[in-house]
Amino acid sequence: QVQLEESGGGLVQPGGSLRLSCVASGIIFNLYHMAWYRQAPGKQRELVAIIGRGGDRDYSNSARGRFTIDRDNAKNTMYLQMNSLNAGDTATYYCLARKWTGGDSWGQGIQVTVSS
């Protein structure tokens, strides 16, 4: 079975930083594209950043320049380094794994709150 576990969220002050982690089990990690999504209350879930099997990366407009997505295949882990956080980043963040043949698996989500 596919299992994705997010960690590293919490409460941070505006301008601060957090690093999210997503540990995958039940998959051959290097066969999967990975991504981070987020969803704030009352809003649609949106893509934050993606990293493909080959290491290609892309970001949403709000994330670009502030966030960095990375993966460590030896640890079956994907990361999202978030800097210069602001209140608009407050959301539940979700890990997504997509196999090269298609099909999505989601983590349970982890809360990030940016507040003074």
Side-chain angles (χ1 to χ4, degrees):
Q1 61 181 25
V2 179
Q3 190 165 35
L4 305 173
E5 183 177 0
E6 301 99 337
S7 63
L11 176 65
V12 66
Q13 298 178 26
S17 298
L18 286 174
R19 188 182 71 162
L20 303 183
S21 298
C22 172
V23 179
S25 60
I27 65 172
I28 302 175
F29 188 70
N30 62 7
L31 297 181
Y32 286 74
H33 306 291
M34 302 294 295
W36 288 99
Y37 282 73
R38 69 185 183 188
Q39 186 170 24
K43 296 184 178 180
Q44 296 294 312
R45 188 172 298 186
E46 64 175 356
L47 176 68
V48 179
I50 58 174
I51 182 166
R53 295 177 62 209
D56 50 304
R57 298 165 170 83
D58 204 4
Y59 301 89
S60 68
N61 289 334
S62 63
R64 189 174 298 109
R66 300 187 299 129
F67 295 2
T68 302
I69 190 171
D70 201 5
R71 65 192 294 166
D72 186 340
N73 289 344
K75 297 181 178 179
N76 282 11
T77 302
M78 175 182 63
Y79 304 95
L80 184 68
Q81 178 67 46
M82 303 186 293
N83 299 326
S84 301
L85 287 162
N86 58 63
D89 298 314
T90 296
T92 302
Y93 285 71
Y94 296 90
C95 176
L96 171 71
R98 176 174 293 164
K99 195 174 182 180
W100 67 278
T101 55
D104 295 344
S105 298
W106 294 90
Q108 293 296 308
I110 189 165
Q111 182 65 35
V112 171
T113 302
V114 184
S115 177
S116 59

